[in-house]
């Protein structure tokens, strides 16, 4: 908007109510001035005094005195001379002469010099009081009139300014629909100058398809509340481009616009034309479309979100009920997606999601809907199915399409999906039930090894409910603390034929389900946050057992305990572990904290700080399952760890007849050597694997070849009578 140079919109005068009335009393007698002050005192009046004419003139030069009470006979200057001076100086003060001179000539001369009133001192005092009140009233009216004049002038200037500088297109049409006024905004909005539009019909700027609709607005005759408002009309620019406008008050205003001419009675009014305002809402329309899209679509993939999917599913179910058709709902989860995020970052994960959405959409029919529920979960709506096998065909097609690799960080990445399928009306009749049942079926296929699809069956629901029951049982088990047991798997040095340590592994003696392995309840504990309390139990019980073995002479054993990422997030972890070590009088170096390789990549800076605190306390730290998460060697260099454990998947692949099977373990061994780290291979089950590991200079091992995880008593027996004792020969002889 252009600005008008030197245009002042500030108020030109103060409100009369806010300014006190100033009265100046000029008399050479102190007693009389005091009497005047007392007589004229009142609320909103400020009274001042002067004893000489010189003082009075000096005060009047400030030009803020409303009423002057003037005695003509002053010791230095005659009162009439003061009035003469006021006329020449244009002092805007009302003068009331209050004099002891009773001659008529003095009164006449005073009135000729501009006095408001001539009052004799020996008269009634009330006359002076009333006269001053009249003067002040007149002064107030004069000031109000002056203020009103200034405001009217300012309002007119402001009105002209607002019309010309308005961001809206303001126009006036005559009764034939020809423009007789347009403001300057029209050129910026439509490209026409004033001269090009004045005298032209309004149809010049209306999009042809909207002419019939626009005719009622541009020929509006009504006024007030019944006039057209907010009517959307498409206007075209000088170059015939289309703009969307919203008419804001297409009204006829008699007093302001002069649209009607009144001749006598209101019924004699003559229609003169129409006035209106058009506002460009092109950007608003685009914004509304964007907001509407964002409200119902996933911004990353452009797919419908769960809100839009649920709405479409509801519509499809109503149509299926009328047509007696089936509707399929698929719940899809990308397998191993977390691995991509943890290894390569969220950017590569987002790219994978977009590519997955594009490929999956190509497997569907034109009327199907693919939606993103959130994270790596997607849903598919399959309307108008003839039978349940149609959904199976589409699921199989999606699995086949995903056999081609995705590009992740420039590398080929193979991923699979787990698909749960629910059908209407077989597996539910509402969107909520169908989605829930498809979700349950998806989790069932995940539990069976992933990479497949499965139709919902009623018995799955009981399994889903079992998880909730198991969660409650786990809470009760943690409260009682007597349902868990630790088993210990030996870690041996083969060259020394000695047990050097053990890994503590938890077992749950469930009252109804019997002995449960960690993989059946540890994920549940992590999901519900109970893993922290469970970890506390493991640390306390394992250290208590280690203290017992140390008292029996097994002082060279190292205890390995796995820590969940949630436990590592707690800032007081080092202090809590050290307190328990002090309780059981165990040196810090006897405890080996095992963390997963994922922690190298997730919130690395914070975890590096925590690991440093553990190491500074004297604890040992190892990386478990090393080599499965593609961790950065830079992070490995920065983490102050002691050892790495080679994952059992690499050990399992060792084959004497296949030279390449040792390449990964050889690389890990070289990395460990360069970083001066100890390595330990887990999952050693055969003598052939043991020999190959020894040939790769990996001497520390753990696995079924040496022993399964054992209860405390059985493990102690292994330490004394097994092939890998933990006591020195001298100590064993003494025992």
């Amino acid at each position: 908007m252009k600005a008008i140079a030197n245009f002042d919109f500030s108020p030109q005068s103060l409100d009369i109510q806010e300014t006190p009335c100033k009265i100046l009393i000029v008399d050479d007698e102190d007693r009389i001035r005091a009497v005047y002050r007392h007589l004229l005192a009142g609320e909103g009046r400020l009274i001042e005094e002067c004893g000489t004419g010189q003082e009075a003139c000096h005060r009047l030069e400030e030009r803020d005195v409303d009423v002057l009470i003037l005695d003509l006979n002053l010791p230095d200057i005659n009162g009439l001379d003061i009035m003469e001076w006021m006329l020449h100086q244009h002092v805007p003060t009302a003068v009331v002469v209050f004099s002891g001179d009773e001659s008529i000539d003095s009164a006449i001369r005073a009135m000729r010099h501009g006095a408001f009133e001539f009052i004799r001192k020996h008269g009634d005092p009330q006359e002076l009081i009333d006269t001053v009140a009249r003067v002040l009233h007149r002064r107030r009216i004069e000031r109000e009139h002056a203020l009103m004049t200034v405001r009217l002038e300012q309002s007119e200037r402001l009105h002209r300014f607002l019309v010309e500088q308005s961001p809206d297109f303001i126009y006036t049409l005559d009764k034939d629909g020809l423009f007789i006024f347009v403001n300057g905004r029209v050129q910026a909005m439509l490209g026409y100058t004033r001269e090009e539009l004045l005298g032209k019909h309004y149809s010049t700027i209306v999009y042809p398809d909207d002419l019939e609709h626009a005719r009622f607005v541009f020929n509006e005759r009504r006024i007030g509340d019944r006039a057209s408002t907010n009517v959307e009309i498409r206007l075209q620019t000088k170059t015939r481009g289309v703009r969307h406008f919203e008419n804001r008050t297409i009204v006829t205003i008699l007093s302001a616009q002069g649209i009607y001419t009144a001749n006598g009675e209101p019924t004699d009014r003559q229609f003169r034309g129409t006035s209106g305002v058009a506002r460009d809402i092109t950007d608003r329309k685009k914004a509304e479309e964007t907001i509407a899209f964002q409200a119902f679509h996933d911004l990353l993939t452009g797919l419908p979100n769960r809100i839009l999917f649920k709405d479409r599913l509801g519509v499809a179910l109503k149509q299926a009920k009328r047509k007696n058709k089936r509707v399929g709902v698929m719940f899809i989860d990308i397998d191993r997606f977390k691995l991509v995020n943890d290894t390569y970052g969220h950017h590569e994960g987002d790219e994978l999601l977009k590519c997955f959405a594009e490929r999956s959409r190509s497997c569907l029919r034109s009327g199907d809907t693919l939606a993103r529920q959130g994270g790596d979960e997607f849903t598919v709506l399959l309307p108008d199915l003839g039978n349940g096998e149609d959904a199976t065909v589409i699921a199989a097609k999606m699995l086949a399409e995903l056999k081609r690799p995705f590009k992740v960080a420039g590398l080929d990445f193979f991923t699979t999906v787990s698909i749960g399928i629910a059908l209407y009306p077989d597996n539910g009749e509402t969107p909520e039930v169908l989605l829930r049942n498809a979700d349950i079926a998806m989790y069932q296929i995940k539990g069976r090894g992933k990479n497949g699809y499965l139709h919902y069956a009623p018995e799955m629901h009981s399994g889903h409910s079992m998880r909730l029951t198991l969660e409650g049982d786990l809470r009760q088990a943690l409260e009682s603390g007597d349902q868990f047991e630790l088993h210990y798997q030996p870690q041996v040095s083969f060259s020394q034929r000695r047990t050097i340590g053990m890994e503590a592994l938890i077992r749950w003696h469930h009252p109804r389900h019997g002995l449960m392995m960690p993989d059946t309840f540890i994920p549940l504990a992590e999901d519900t946050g109970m893993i922290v309390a469970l970890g506390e139990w493991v640390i306390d019980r394992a250290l208590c057992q280690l203290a017992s073995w140390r008292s029996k002479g097994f002082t060279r054993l190292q205890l390995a305990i796995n820590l969940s990422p949630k436990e590592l997030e707690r800032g007081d972890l080092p202090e809590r572990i050290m307190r328990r070590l002090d309780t059981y009088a165990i040196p810090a170096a006897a405890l080996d904290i095992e963390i997963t390789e994922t922690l190298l990549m997730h919130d690395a800076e914070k975890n590096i700080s925590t690991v440093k605190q553990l190491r500074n306390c004297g604890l040992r730290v190892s990386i478990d399952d090393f080599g499965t998460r593609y961790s950065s060697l830079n992070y490995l260099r920065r983490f102050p760890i002691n050892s790495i454990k080679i994952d059992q998947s690499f050990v399992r692949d060792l084959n004497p007849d296949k030279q390449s099977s040792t390449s990964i373990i050889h690389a890990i061994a070289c990395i460990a050597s360069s970083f001066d780290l100890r390595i330990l291979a887990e999952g050693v089950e055969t003598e052939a694997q043991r020999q190959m590991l020894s040939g790769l200079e990996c001497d520390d091992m753990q696995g079924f070849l040496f022993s399964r995880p054992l209860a405390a008593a059985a493990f102690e027996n292994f330490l004394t009578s097994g092939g890998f004792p933990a006591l020195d020969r001298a100590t064993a002889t003494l025992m």
Side-chain angles (χ1 to χ4, degrees):
M1 182 186 296
K2 296 187 298 182
I4 295 179
N6 301 321
F7 195 99
D8 184 13
F9 292 113
S10 60
Q12 302 298 313
S13 177
L14 296 175
D15 194 332
I16 195 87
Q17 298 294 333
E18 299 177 357
T19 305
C21 298
K22 295 183 179 180
I23 301 174
L24 178 62
I25 301 173
V26 181
D27 198 294
D28 58 341
E29 295 186 29
D30 294 341
R31 180 181 58 81
I32 293 179
R33 291 200 306 272
V35 173
Y36 292 173
R37 175 186 285 275
H38 178 73
L39 288 174
L40 300 177
E43 184 178 357
R45 294 182 180 184
L46 183 61
I47 301 177
E48 302 178 37
E49 302 176 13
C50 289
T52 66
Q54 289 288 351
E55 292 178 5
C57 291
H58 181 72
R59 177 65 184 83
L60 290 170
E61 284 180 344
E62 297 184 20
R63 302 176 186 274
D64 61 346
V65 177
D66 293 292
V67 181
L68 173 63
I69 309 299
L70 180 63
D71 185 11
L72 295 180
N73 298 318
L74 297 172
D76 55 344
I77 302 177
N78 185 272
L80 295 177
D81 293 335
I82 293 175
M83 295 175 66
E84 184 74 24
W85 173 83
M86 291 174 64
L87 287 174
H88 286 94
Q89 295 297 320
H90 304 289
V91 177
T93 300
V95 180
V96 175
V97 176
F98 196 56
S99 176
D101 188 349
E102 299 186 0
S103 67
I104 189 64
D105 292 339
S106 296
I108 293 173
R109 291 175 62 192
M111 299 302 290
R112 286 178 176 175
H113 280 74
F116 179 82
E117 188 66 81
F118 184 93
I119 303 174
R120 291 176 175 81
K121 286 184 177 181
H122 302 297
D124 186 355
Q126 186 63 40
E127 185 178 0
L128 175 62
I129 296 172
D130 295 342
T131 299
V132 170
R134 289 199 306 274
V135 173
L136 291 176
H137 178 68
R138 190 184 75 171
R139 292 282 292 178
R140 185 180 298 276
I141 292 175
E142 290 174 352
R143 291 174 64 182
E144 289 176 349
H145 285 175
L147 181 62
M148 185 179 298
T149 300
V150 170
R151 286 176 174 170
L152 286 174
E153 291 176 355
Q154 184 184 17
S155 176
E156 183 180 354
R157 294 171 65 207
L158 181 59
H159 175 73
R160 288 198 302 269
F161 174 80
L162 292 177
V163 169
E164 286 302 321
Q165 304 301 316
S166 171
D168 299 332
F169 169 34
I170 302 175
Y171 64 88
T172 304
L173 303 171
D174 65 12
K175 60 183 179 181
D176 296 322
L178 306 179
F179 286 107
I180 58 177
F181 171 79
V182 292
N183 68 340
R185 180 62 175 165
V186 66
Q187 186 165 5
M189 296 177 81
L190 299 179
Y192 292 96
T193 64
R194 295 176 192 262
E195 293 72 20
E196 288 175 318
L197 277 189
L198 292 177
K200 295 292 186 359
H201 194 264
Y202 66 81
S203 59
T204 304
I205 64 171
V206 178
Y207 185 61
D209 291 351
D210 288 358
L211 271 176
E212 185 63 25
H213 183 50
R215 183 170 61 86
F216 297 98
V217 179
F218 283 97
N219 291 293
E220 181 63 77
R221 290 172 174 262
R222 297 170 296 180
I223 62 175
D225 295 339
R226 298 177 62 244
S228 299
T229 58
N230 300 329
V231 179
E232 188 174 319
I233 300 292
R234 287 178 293 177
L235 303 185
Q236 60 183 4
T237 65
K238 186 178 179 179
T239 58
R240 294 298 183 260
V242 179
R243 302 295 293 271
H244 293 266
F245 283 83
E246 175 188 27
N247 288 341
R248 292 278 196 199
T249 64
I250 305 300
V251 296
T252 302
I253 306 174
L254 177 62
S255 60
Q257 300 293 336
I259 303 304
Y260 282 89
T261 299
N263 296 322
E265 297 298 326
T267 54
D268 296 333
R269 293 184 307 171
Q270 296 181 0
F271 176 68
R272 299 295 300 272
T274 302
S275 176
V277 179
R279 169 164 294 177
D280 185 357
I281 60 168
T282 306
D283 293 337
R284 196 193 78 180
K285 295 290 289 185
K286 291 179 180 178
E288 288 176 352
E289 292 174 358
T290 301
I291 292 171
F293 182 85
Q294 292 176 349
F296 298 106
H297 291 79
D298 171 58
L299 298 184
L300 177 65
T301 61
L303 297 175
N305 61 13
R306 67 179 66 193
I307 299 174
L308 182 56
F309 181 84
K310 192 173 180 180
D311 180 70
R312 290 185 180 179
L313 177 56
V315 173
L317 293 177
K318 292 179 182 178
Q319 294 175 346
K321 188 174 183 179
R322 289 196 300 268
K323 299 178 181 179
N324 196 26
K325 291 279 189 178
R326 274 187 167 83
V327 174
V329 174
M330 298 168 59
F331 208 106
I332 306 172
D333 184 87
I334 303 177
D335 302 328
R336 300 198 305 149
F337 176 75
K338 189 175 184 297
L339 177 62
V340 176
N341 270 348
D342 291 344
T343 306
Y344 299 109
H346 290 280
H347 173 73
E348 293 298 333
D350 290 347
E351 291 301 315
L352 175 59
L353 290 173
K354 289 191 285 187
C355 293
F356 172 81
E358 185 176 349
R359 282 206 209 169
S360 299
R361 200 157 30 193
S362 68
C363 300
L364 304 178
R365 304 168 300 173
S366 59
D368 299 337
T369 297
L370 173 66
R372 185 184 179 201
Q373 291 289 304
D376 61 340
E377 294 182 335
F378 295 79
T379 51
V380 177
L381 167 62
L382 305 171
D384 297 327
L385 293 180
N387 55 67
E389 292 305 313
D390 293 342
T392 302
V393 171
I394 295 174
K397 185 178 180 182
M398 293 182 71
L399 291 176
E401 175 64 24
L402 294 176
K403 288 182 179 179
R404 291 188 297 114
F406 292 90
K407 284 293 182 182
V408 176
L411 303 174
D412 286 345
F413 180 80
F414 292 88
T415 189
T416 57
V417 294
S418 300
I419 304 175
I421 303 172
L423 298 175
Y424 166 87
D426 310 66
N427 308 132
E429 298 185 354
T430 66
E432 293 79 10
V433 172
L434 287 170
L435 282 168
R436 182 198 66 193
N437 291 341
D439 190 17
I440 292 174
M442 183 270 291
Y443 273 104
Q444 288 289 322
I445 193 65
K446 266 193 174 299
R448 299 183 186 184
K450 308 176 182 179
N451 189 24
Y453 57 85
L454 193 64
H455 283 264
Y456 172 80
E459 56 269 19
M460 294 179 184
H461 188 71
S462 59
H464 204 65
S465 300
M466 179 183 174
R467 186 180 186 276
L468 297 177
T469 304
L470 195 64
E471 179 181 335
D473 293 343
L474 183 58
R475 293 187 188 278
Q476 292 180 3
L478 283 170
E479 291 176 4
S480 64
D482 58 358
Q483 296 181 20
F484 301 111
E485 180 184 12
L486 288 182
H487 285 199
Y488 302 89
Q489 186 169 30
Q491 296 175 344
V492 305
S493 169
F494 188 80
S495 63
Q496 300 179 34
R497 297 296 192 275
R498 185 172 65 86
T499 300
I500 57 177
M502 60 283 185
E503 181 179 2
L505 301 167
I506 191 171
R507 302 290 187 263
W508 182 10
H509 291 279
H510 194 281
R512 294 186 303 277
H513 304 301
L515 186 66
M516 298 181 68
M517 305 302 283
D519 57 355
T520 60
F521 62 89
I522 291 297
L524 176 63
E526 289 181 336
D527 290 344
T528 58
M530 288 186 280
I531 190 65
V532 175
L534 196 59
E536 291 276 345
W537 186 92
V538 170
I539 292 174
D540 186 75
R541 188 58 57 91
L543 290 178
C544 179
Q545 182 61 64
L546 179 61
S548 174
W549 285 330
R550 287 177 63 86
S551 68
K552 297 177 181 180
F554 302 104
T555 56
R556 299 174 63 184
L557 290 176
Q558 282 194 328
L559 172 66
I561 296 178
N562 288 282
L563 281 189
S564 165
K566 291 185 180 296
E567 294 177 88
L568 203 68
E569 290 173 0
R570 297 185 60 175
D572 61 343
L573 176 65
E575 292 80 1
R576 289 187 293 110
I577 293 178
M578 293 306 297
R579 281 199 301 269
R580 281 178 168 77
L581 287 171
D582 292 340
T583 300
Y584 296 110
I586 297 175
L591 182 59
D592 191 356
I593 301 296
E594 294 188 357
I595 60 176
T596 62
E597 190 178 6
T598 305
L599 289 173
L600 296 178
M601 309 296 290
H602 177 68
D603 201 359
E605 297 303 324
K606 180 180 178 182
N607 290 327
I608 288 173
S609 175
T610 304
V611 172
K612 284 182 178 179
Q613 292 180 50
L614 294 172
R615 292 287 291 117
N616 291 337
C617 292
L619 298 166
R620 300 179 62 84
V621 179
S622 301
I623 297 179
D624 194 15
D625 301 333
F626 186 79
T628 61
R629 300 290 182 174
Y630 311 104
S631 62
S632 167
L633 292 181
N634 179 52
Y635 287 140
L636 186 62
R637 176 181 60 82
R638 296 175 62 197
F639 268 83
I641 59 175
N642 301 96
S643 59
I644 54 180
K645 294 182 69 175
I646 300 174
D647 186 66
Q648 58 184 342
S649 61
F650 301 128
V651 176
R652 190 183 305 120
D653 291 340
L654 289 175
N655 188 338
D657 300 325
K658 189 175 181 182
Q659 187 65 28
S660 61
S661 65
T662 64
S663 57
I664 293 181
I665 296 180
H666 177 69
I668 294 175
C670 291
I671 292 172
S673 176
S674 63
F675 285 106
D676 194 23
L677 301 175
R678 169 205 177 208
I679 60 172
L680 182 146
E682 59 181 353
V684 182
E685 298 182 355
T686 67
E687 177 61 21
Q689 292 171 349
R690 198 278 307 163
Q691 291 179 6
M692 295 183 72
L693 287 169
S694 296
L696 293 169
E697 298 184 357
C698 178
D699 186 59
D700 295 347
M701 306 178 197
Q702 172 184 342
F704 288 179
L705 177 63
F706 312 106
S707 174
R708 292 177 177 274
L710 303 170
F715 182 76
E716 185 174 335
N717 185 57
F718 176 86
L719 294 177
T720 56
S721 60
F724 296 87
L727 293 175
D728 294 334
R729 293 186 181 274
T731 306
T733 302
L734 291 174
M735 293 181 67

